[in-house]
């Protein structure tokens, strides 16, 4: 009998060799930031030499699972995740440097960037806080090894992504199509990301229907399942203390319940891995890699089971060599198919992408071109894919216009209070109509109420398919107050009310993505009244007929406390003569250079202005004063025919009680004068400020103290960016 047992045991290895290797399915659940644990699990599987036959993932599990299925190792996946700039990825803005120069004009305004759709008399809202444009492009980069694969069974490891139908609530198993878009559908958390439209239905995060889709792995043919569960547990009663906590608990109830139902189907020869990641915030994506080690540690607890699976699955697949990502020889793009519903012609879209057929396929170059087109603000999504037709390689570009367009409302609020005699308060609303012709004409009308009152309506007209040549046509009315001071007296002499109406016509050319030149003619008629005080106004009626030539360069990464880039505006203008109006000629230059060191942002700015001949009327004086423009002095305290100004501004971000704030200070020197520009002023005024602030949905809020020579001090509260928004002539 003992001899028989020994004989049977000695035959087990031989029988194992003859038997067909078992097929193991790896199932990765959703869990946001906690999905980093899946990387640790994959590393353990590699060390134990477990051959995975199928991969199924939901949400975060779909991202890591798809990367693994395309042939990436745990080390490669971790390195790719570590290189992600999550702040950039999770916003829709493709980055200010990619936005066409013509569309950056309004960035220095106080209107909120977010817009509300308004068409057919109805307000319209987007389907999600984020349209997921940058997320989709990130997924294309992460999954580039699977580019062009339509059937997910043809990946190095057959793969499935699980999403949820927004109309039926059922799980939708994605087995073919666009890999990046399928993963994007699986992670589209409702309300946060817009749904993905596939197969004539809206798809959202798969965790709602199946956060741990074990049954999908079984259907693919798995004999054994390794299930990695990072589903959040239910909150305790003491932790349910806000509306956000209530929402989180509802989501946890849904995902926990469907995950537990799937776990109940596991057999004795299956493996369940539960990483200890509950202390990691689900939405703190910058902390994703903190979950890697808990995933690896949890895998070691089932090391014996993994060794058993390794013995019955055969040798693991040999992963590709690190660094060999994507095709060695890029294909030639021989055609481009464009689908666009924004009103632009397909030839216009092609021209603005700058694709010249034929040209080699370069993902990085194409991503930059897509970002520039997305920066026009017309689209909720622009995506592309490599396709083949009649033996030729090409691109399919799908540009989806915003579903809440094509007309938009913007609102804004600006406040600057110095707790003395000066307060600036403005409310603005803008109505924008887009897609007025196939070249992308737009019509914007803006109403301002407050210290500055008026209405302006502008038609922006591109003239060429690539959008480089353009014109602006503007009509408007504006009313503003100007305070007049004596040269050596700090007390104001009078307050004037200036009113003007007129229009502007311009023709310009974009010189690159970040610069342009523009030739403009502005014709304005108006008059001035004395509101308070006694002052002799030589001419109560004024006439402006300026012809100007301007150059603008704008590469700032943001308008409020930029950390890199430059801003230059140089203008030469002539009023009078054949153009009509008062006779004077002016030149003005403003420039800013921004850079960073560590977490600090530093910007050096200068403004120079000169009336080079004749004398400009009071409405065209150069002015200084107020927070950021000789802080401590009243707003527009100094005015004259010439101006010189220099400012050094630095700030740094901090976290106070989990609230992101910033602290900063500025040093300023400047003056205005009426003698010749080369003579300079009688004296330069030095000033500065210290401030603290916080960014809000309405814009940055500054709490500042302005300090100037001669005991000129002020306390400020400012909503809006005081260091860039104020014009250097009253009616600019």
């Amino acid at each position: 009998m003992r001899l028989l047992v020994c004989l049977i045991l000695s035959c087990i290895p031989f029988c194992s060799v003859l038997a067909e290797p078992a097929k193991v399915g790896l199932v990765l659940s959703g869990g946001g930031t906690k999905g980093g644990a899946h990387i640790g699990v994959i590393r353990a599987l590699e060390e134990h030499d477990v051959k995975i036959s199928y991969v199924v993932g939901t949400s975060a599990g779909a991202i890591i699972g798809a990367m693994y299925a395309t042939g990436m190792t745990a080390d490669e996946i971790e390195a790719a995740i570590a290189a992600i700039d999550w702040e950039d990825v999770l916003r829709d803005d493709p980055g200010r440097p990619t936005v066409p120069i013509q569309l950056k004009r309004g960035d220095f305004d106080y209107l909120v960037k977010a817009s509300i759709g308004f068409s057919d008399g109805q307000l319209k809202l987007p389907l999600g806080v984020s349209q997921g444009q940058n997320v989709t492009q990130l997924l294309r980069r992460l999954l580039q090894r699977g580019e062009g694969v339509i059937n997910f069974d043809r990946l190095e490891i057959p793969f499935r992504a699980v999403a949820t139908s927004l109309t039926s609530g059922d799980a939708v198993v994605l087995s073919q199509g666009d890999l990046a878009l399928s993963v994007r559908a699986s992670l589209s958390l409702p309300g946060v990301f817009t749904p993905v439209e596939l197969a004539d239905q809206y798809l959202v995060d798969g965790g709602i229907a199946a956060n741990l889709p074990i049954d999908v792995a079984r259907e693919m043919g798995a004999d054994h399942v390794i299930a990695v569960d990072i589903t959040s547990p239910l909150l305790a009663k003491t932790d349910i203390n806000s509306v956000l906590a209530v929402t989180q608990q509802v989501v946890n109830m849904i995902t926990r319940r469907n995950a537990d139902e799937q776990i109940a189907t596991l057999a004795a020869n299956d493996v369940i891995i539960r990483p200890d990641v509950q202390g990691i915030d689900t939405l703190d994506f910058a902390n994703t890699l903190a979950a890697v080690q808990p995933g690896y540690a949890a895998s070691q607890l089932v090391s014996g089971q993994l060794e058993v699976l390794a013995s019955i699955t055969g040798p693991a697949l040999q992963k590709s060599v690190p660094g060999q990502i994507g095709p060695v020889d890029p294909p030639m793009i021989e055609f481009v198919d464009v689908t666009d519903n924004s009103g632009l012609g397909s030839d216009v879209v092609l021209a603005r992408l700058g694709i010249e057929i034929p040209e080699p396929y370069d993902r990085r170059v194409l991503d930059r071109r897509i970002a520039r087109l997305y920066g026009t603000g017309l689209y909720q999504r622009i995506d592309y894919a490599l396709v083949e037709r009649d033996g030729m390689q090409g691109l399919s570009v799908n540009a989806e216009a915003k579903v809440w367009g094509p007309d938009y409302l913007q609102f804004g609020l600006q406040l600057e209070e110095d707790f003395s005699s000066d307060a600036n308060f403005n409310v603005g609303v803008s109505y924008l109509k887009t897609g007025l012709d196939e070249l992308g004409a737009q019509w914007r009308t803006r109403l301002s109420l407050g210290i500055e009152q008026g209405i302006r309506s502008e038609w922006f007209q591109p003239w060429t398919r690539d959008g480089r040549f353009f014109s602006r046509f503007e009509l408007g009315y504006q009313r503003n107050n100007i305070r007049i001071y004596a040269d050596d007296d700090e007390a104001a002499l009078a307050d004037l009310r200036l009113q003007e109406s007129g229009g502007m016509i311009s023709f310009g050319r974009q010189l690159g993505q970040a610069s342009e030149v523009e030739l403009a003619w502005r014709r304005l008629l108006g008059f001035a009244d004395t509101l308070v005080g006694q002052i002799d106004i030589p001419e109560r009626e004024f006439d402006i007929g300026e012809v100007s030539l301007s150059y603008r360069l704008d590469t700032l990464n943001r308008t409020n406390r930029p950390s890199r880039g430059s801003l230059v505006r140089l203008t030469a203008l002539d009023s009078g003569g054949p153009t009509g109006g008062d006779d004077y000629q002016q030149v003005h230059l403003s420039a800013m250079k921004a850079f960073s060191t560590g977490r600090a942002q530093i910007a050096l700015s200068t403004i120079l202005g000169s009336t080079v001949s004749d004398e400009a009327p009071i409405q065209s004086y150069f002015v200084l004063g107020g927070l950021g423009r000789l802080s401590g002095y009243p707003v527009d305290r100094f005015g004259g025919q010439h101006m010189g100004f220099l400012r050094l501004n630095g700030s740094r971000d901090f976290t106070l009680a989990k609230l992101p704030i910033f602290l900063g200070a500025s040093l300023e020197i400047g003056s205005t004068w009426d003698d010749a520009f080369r003579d300079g002023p009688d004296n330069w005024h030095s000033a500065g400020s210290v401030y603290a602030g916080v960014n809000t949905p309405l814009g940055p809020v500054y709490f500042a103290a302005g300090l100037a020579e001669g005991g000129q001090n002020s306390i400020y509260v400012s909503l809006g960016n005081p260091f860039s928004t104020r014009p250097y002539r009253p009616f600019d």
Side-chain angles (χ1 to χ4, degrees):
M1 183 66 179
R2 182 178 299 175
L3 180 62
L4 178 61
V5 171
C6 292
L7 182 61
I8 293 173
L9 290 176
S10 65
C11 290
I12 288 178
F14 180 72
C15 295
S16 298
V17 172
L18 293 180
E20 182 178 344
K23 298 184 182 300
V24 177
L26 177 63
V27 182
L28 307 178
S29 76
T33 300
K34 302 172 185 178
H38 298 319
I39 303 174
V41 172
I42 292 172
R43 178 168 290 128
L45 296 179
E46 292 173 343
E47 291 179 357
H48 285 80
D49 206 27
V50 178
K51 180 182 182 298
I52 299 299
S53 300
Y54 310 105
V55 179
V56 182
T58 293
S59 195
I63 301 175
I64 304 300
M67 295 171 73
Y68 184 55
T70 60
M72 296 179 69
T73 65
D75 289 345
E76 289 176 323
I77 296 173
E78 184 173 13
I81 298 298
I84 297 173
D85 182 347
W86 289 104
E87 183 179 353
D88 178 66
V89 167
L90 294 175
R91 65 179 184 227
D92 286 326
D93 184 356
R96 195 170 181 275
T98 66
V99 176
I101 180 69
Q102 303 99 317
L103 302 181
K104 294 179 181 178
R105 296 176 182 273
D107 289 355
F108 297 92
D109 204 344
Y110 61 86
L111 294 178
V112 177
K113 291 286 290 181
S115 58
I116 300 173
F118 184 78
S119 300
D120 302 324
Q122 295 182 337
L123 295 177
K124 298 180 180 180
L125 296 175
L127 299 180
V129 175
S130 171
Q131 307 310 304
Q133 173 70 16
N134 290 350
V135 171
T136 303
Q137 299 312 311
L138 169 66
L139 291 173
R140 294 210 174 279
R141 294 193 296 273
L142 296 178
L143 303 175
Q144 57 187 296
R145 285 181 175 174
E147 189 169 37
V149 176
I150 303 301
N151 185 340
F152 301 164
D153 285 338
R154 296 186 178 179
L155 295 171
E156 185 166 334
I157 304 175
F159 171 74
R160 300 289 185 270
V162 177
T164 301
S165 170
L166 193 57
T167 54
S168 68
D170 297 331
V172 177
V173 180
L174 301 169
S175 61
Q176 59 183 358
D178 187 307
L179 179 61
L181 204 56
S182 297
V183 173
R184 162 77 171 82
S186 180
L187 61 83
S188 295
L189 188 65
V192 177
F193 295 111
T194 56
V196 173
E197 189 173 2
L198 288 175
D200 294 327
Q201 57 183 333
Y202 280 132
L203 300 182
V204 294
D205 196 295
I208 298 172
N211 201 47
L212 190 63
I214 294 170
D215 57 342
V216 177
R218 302 272 193 217
E219 293 168 1
M220 293 179 72
D223 302 311
H224 304 274
V225 169
I226 300 175
V228 186
D229 182 25
I230 57 171
T231 309
S232 297
L234 296 181
L235 299 175
K237 181 180 178 181
T238 54
D239 295 327
I240 305 175
N241 51 19
S242 69
V243 64
L244 294 178
V246 171
T247 302
Q248 181 182 349
Q249 182 75 327
V250 172
V251 173
N252 291 349
M253 291 170 60
I254 295 172
T255 56
R256 186 69 267 167
R257 180 172 300 170
N258 67 54
D260 288 341
E261 290 174 352
Q262 289 288 300
I263 291 173
T265 68
L266 291 173
N269 57 358
D270 295 324
V271 180
I272 178 73
I273 301 176
R274 290 190 173 98
D276 183 12
V277 291
Q278 303 314 320
I280 298 176
D281 189 341
T282 304
L283 298 179
D284 184 14
F285 294 100
N287 202 31
T288 297
L289 295 184
V292 174
Q293 182 57 33
Y296 181 80
S299 301
Q300 298 306 313
L301 297 178
V302 295
S303 179
Q305 293 173 275
L306 296 182
E307 289 175 358
V308 172
L309 290 179
S311 69
I312 63 176
T313 58
L317 290 174
Q318 181 66 40
K319 297 294 182 180
S320 55
V321 178
Q324 293 183 355
I325 299 177
V328 176
D329 296 320
M332 293 295 295
I333 302 301
E334 298 175 279
F335 67 90
V336 179
D337 293 331
V338 175
T339 302
D340 178 275
N341 61 348
S342 69
L344 296 182
S346 59
D347 56 340
V348 174
V349 174
L350 189 59
R352 295 185 184 178
L353 285 175
I355 300 175
E356 298 181 2
I357 301 172
E359 71 173 32
Y361 173 69
D362 188 323
R363 169 172 293 282
R364 293 183 179 181
V365 172
L366 187 56
D367 282 348
R368 289 196 296 268
R369 291 168 172 174
I370 291 291
R372 287 200 299 265
L373 184 60
Y374 187 78
T376 60
L378 297 176
Y379 302 97
Q380 69 177 17
R381 186 175 74 94
I382 305 177
D383 205 1
Y384 63 91
L386 278 172
V387 294
E388 186 174 340
R389 188 178 68 202
D390 300 330
M392 297 188 299
Q393 288 280 350
L395 279 178
S396 174
V397 178
N398 182 26
E400 296 180 8
K402 293 177 178 178
V403 296
W404 64 100
D407 303 338
Y408 307 94
L409 287 173
Q410 280 181 282
F411 298 91
L413 175 65
Q414 182 185 40
L415 170 67
E416 183 173 314
E417 172 65 67
D418 67 0
F419 300 99
S420 60
S421 58
D422 290 314
N424 286 319
F425 177 83
N426 290 295
V427 176
V429 58
S430 172
Y431 178 49
L432 173 66
K433 295 181 69 67
T434 67
L436 298 177
D437 64 18
E438 67 173 12
L439 293 177
Q442 299 184 356
W443 181 21
R444 183 188 299 273
T445 300
R446 173 178 167 173
L447 176 67
S448 300
L449 299 173
I451 194 69
E452 297 176 1
Q453 303 171 22
I455 183 170
R456 292 189 178 185
S457 190
E458 177 190 275
W459 184 284
F460 175 78
Q461 180 64 61
W463 293 116
T464 55
R465 289 185 175 89
D466 60 11
R468 292 190 178 276
F469 291 92
F470 64 91
S471 288
R472 293 190 297 139
F473 307 91
E474 181 181 292
L475 292 174
Y477 165 81
Q478 185 173 342
R479 184 168 64 180
N480 197 5
N481 294 344
I482 296 180
R483 181 159 292 172
I484 306 299
Y485 293 85
D487 290 340
D488 300 321
D489 192 351
E490 298 302 328
L493 296 178
D495 282 351
L496 303 183
R497 169 165 290 175
L498 274 63
Q499 301 184 59
E500 65 167 14
S501 58
M504 185 269 296
I505 300 174
S506 75
F507 182 78
R509 188 186 192 282
Q510 184 177 343
L511 300 179
Q513 191 66 16
S515 61
E516 68 178 10
V517 292
E518 185 175 23
L519 179 66
W521 176 59
R522 186 169 67 158
R523 190 79 165 112
L524 303 173
L525 300 175
F527 61 91
D529 284 335
T530 303
L531 292 179
V532 179
Q534 298 293 327
I535 188 172
D536 181 27
I537 306 176
E539 296 290 341
R540 291 190 174 272
E541 295 184 355
F542 59 84
D543 189 352
I544 297 176
E546 295 179 346
V547 173
S548 63
L549 180 63
S550 299
Y551 168 79
R552 292 176 64 240
L553 169 71
D554 188 346
T555 61
L556 296 179
N557 63 326
R558 57 178 181 258
T559 56
N560 183 45
R561 302 184 305 113
S563 58
R564 64 179 183 272
S566 302
L567 176 68
V568 176
R569 181 186 175 189
L570 175 62
T571 300
L573 62 88
D574 176 60
S575 178
T579 65
D582 300 319
D583 291 320
Y584 60 92
Q585 292 76 40
Q586 290 182 326
V587 175
H588 36 90
L589 166 71
S590 62
M592 175 188 293
K593 176 62 179 178
F595 54 95
S596 64
T597 173
R599 297 180 61 187
Q601 302 89 33
I602 300 174
L604 181 64
S605 306
T606 185
I607 305 174
L608 300 173
S610 176
T611 305
V612 295
S613 64
D614 298 308
E615 289 190 3
I618 192 171
Q619 66 274 5
S620 294
Y621 276 16
F622 298 105
V623 292
L624 284 173
L627 178 58
R629 297 276 291 275
L630 292 183
S631 303
Y633 289 105
V635 173
D636 297 345
R637 164 63 182 85
F638 304 101
Q641 302 289 338
H642 313 285
M643 171 178 63
F645 176 76
L646 183 66
R647 178 182 65 224
L648 178 65
N649 183 33
S651 64
R652 183 175 177 180
D653 295 301
F654 293 88
T655 300
L656 179 64
K658 296 186 177 181
L659 179 68
I661 65 171
F662 55 84
L663 302 176
S666 67
L667 297 175
E668 305 147 18
I669 184 171
S671 188
T672 63
W673 64 98
D674 292 326
D675 295 331
F677 183 81
R678 63 179 179 274
D679 294 337
D682 293 334
N683 66 304
W684 292 93
H685 307 283
S686 58
S689 70
V690 291
Y691 56 83
V694 61
N695 292 314
T696 75
L698 292 177
V701 176
Y702 285 76
F703 302 90
L707 312 170
E709 60 185 5
Q712 290 289 320
N713 304 317
S714 294
I715 301 296
Y716 300 94
V717 174
S718 175
L719 172 60
N721 185 0
F723 293 95
S724 66
T725 56
R726 187 176 298 117
Y728 44 83
R729 298 194 308 170
F731 279 97
D732 280 345

